[in-house]
Amino acid sequence: MYLEKLLVTLLAAPVIAPVPTTVAHQVVAQAPAQPAAPKAAEAPKAAEKKVAPEVKELVERMQSFYEKTQDFSAEFKQDYKYKVLRRTQTSTGTVIYKKPGLMRWEYLKPSTRTFVLAGEKVYAYDPEAQTLSVGRIDTSQLSASVTFLFGQGKLADEFSISKGACKDCKGTLLVLDPLKPDPRFQQVRLEVDPKTAQVLKSTVVDPDGSENAIAFLNLKTNVGVGADAFKINPPEGTRIDDFTKPRK
C-alpha cells in the first residue's frame, strides 16, 4: 500500500490501520495540540553512548538549530536505491514544516503525490488515482532521527555518532549507528553544513541494505509558514480511505 510505503521510507514509523472506506470531497489536516515529547528509546546496559569528540560541537549546534526552528521550507531530491532490484528511483518536490508537528511533502516528479503529517494523522493524496488515504501513526515510536527535526528527541540518546568519510559531500558527514538493534533501519547518515548546522542530506539505510537519500535544496527557516499550507482539498469525487475510524 502506498501510504504504508511512504511512511516507512520517509518516517520509519508504523501505521495503525483499521480499514473502512468513505467518500468525500474535502479533508483538512488540522494542526494538532502540542504533543508530549516522545520518550527516547532506552539503550541496553551493554550499549555505550558515544559522540565522537570531533563532531560533538557540530551535533550540539545542529540539535539546537532545529530546537529553535519554528518552520522551514525546501526543495528536495530523493534517491531510493533498491539493493535487491539494483535500481534507483529518483523523485523531486518540495517540503514544508511547521511546529508543532505539521509536515507536507509535495512530490512533483516522476508523478504528483501529496503527503501530510499532522500530529498522529497522515494523509496521502494521489490525484491520478483520485484517492486520499488517511492513516494514523504512533508518534511515540518515531526515532530521534526524525523527531530532532521537530525540535524533539536527542540524537545522542539513541545513536553512536561519528564522522564519516565522503568525497562528494558538501558538508560534514555524520554517521549514526543505533545503540540497540532497530527493525526500521540499520543506520542513518546526515550531511550537515558546518557553518549553519543545517541538514543538507539525510540517508536512511533499510534493514535489507536499501538506501533512502533525501537532499534538501534552498532550505529556508522561520519564514512564517501558515497552517493553511497543510490543507488538502481534493476535487469532488475523490475516494477517501479513512483507516483511523473503527469498523462498523
Side-chain angles (χ1 to χ4, degrees):
M1 179 182 177
Y2 175 73
L3 177 58
E4 294 176 354
K5 180 62 176 177
L6 192 56
L7 284 172
V8 169
T9 56
L10 290 181
L11 298 177
V15 176
I16 302 172
V19 185
T21 300
T22 60
V23 177
H25 70 276
Q26 181 176 15
V27 171
V28 179
Q30 300 288 350
Q34 176 68 51
K39 296 180 181 179
E42 294 182 1
K45 294 181 180 180
E48 180 183 356
K49 295 182 180 180
K50 178 181 178 183
V51 178
E54 60 184 338
V55 296
K56 185 175 185 295
E57 188 264 345
L58 178 59
V59 171
E60 291 175 348
R61 285 198 297 119
M62 177 180 63
Q63 190 87 50
S64 176
F65 173 84
Y66 286 98
E67 288 175 355
K68 295 176 181 178
T69 297
Q70 297 301 310
D71 61 60
F72 65 77
S73 63
E75 298 171 9
F76 72 85
K77 179 176 181 287
Q78 180 181 25
D79 292 309
Y80 194 96
K81 298 180 180 179
Y82 295 87
K83 183 176 181 180
V84 176
L85 300 179
R86 296 183 180 180
R87 68 179 181 86
T88 299
Q89 178 178 310
T90 299
S91 305
T92 58
T94 61
V95 58
I96 53 175
Y97 167 74
K98 179 179 177 66
K99 285 184 178 178
L102 286 170
M103 181 172 278
R104 179 174 186 142
W105 296 81
E106 199 75 45
Y107 280 77
L108 302 176
K109 294 181 180 179
S111 62
T112 57
R113 301 282 179 94
T114 301
F115 169 80
V116 172
L117 170 67
E120 292 191 344
K121 281 194 173 184
V122 290
Y123 302 79
Y125 174 53
D126 184 341
E128 293 183 5
Q130 294 185 310
T131 59
L132 175 62
S133 299
V134 185
R136 190 183 300 276
I137 60 173
D138 182 356
T139 54
S140 68
Q141 298 301 311
L142 288 173
S143 165
S145 62
V146 173
T147 58
F148 94 96
L149 293 171
F150 304 163
Q152 304 169 353
K154 300 292 184 181
L155 292 172
D157 288 342
E158 293 187 27
F159 298 93
S160 173
I161 307 174
S162 59
K163 184 178 181 179
C166 182
K167 296 181 180 179
D168 300 326
C169 289
K170 297 180 181 179
T172 301
L173 182 64
L174 301 180
V175 178
L176 284 67
D177 293 303
L179 292 175
K180 66 178 183 179
D182 194 306
R184 296 168 296 183
F185 49 78
Q186 288 184 22
Q187 187 181 76
V188 178
R189 303 169 194 150
L190 299 176
E191 187 178 328
V192 182
D193 186 327
K195 294 181 180 180
T196 65
Q198 296 178 359
V199 174
L200 302 175
K201 185 176 182 179
S202 171
T203 302
V204 176
V205 182
D206 290 348
D208 68 353
S210 299
E211 296 186 5
N212 181 27
I214 301 179
F216 299 97
L217 311 170
N218 300 320
L219 182 66
K220 299 177 182 179
T221 61
N222 299 324
V223 294
V225 176
D228 286 349
F230 303 91
K231 293 180 179 178
I232 300 179
N233 298 303
E236 186 173 356
T238 297
R239 189 186 80 228
I240 297 180
D241 298 326
D242 192 339
F243 302 111
T244 67
K245 296 181 179 180
R247 292 178 181 272
K248 293 183 179 180

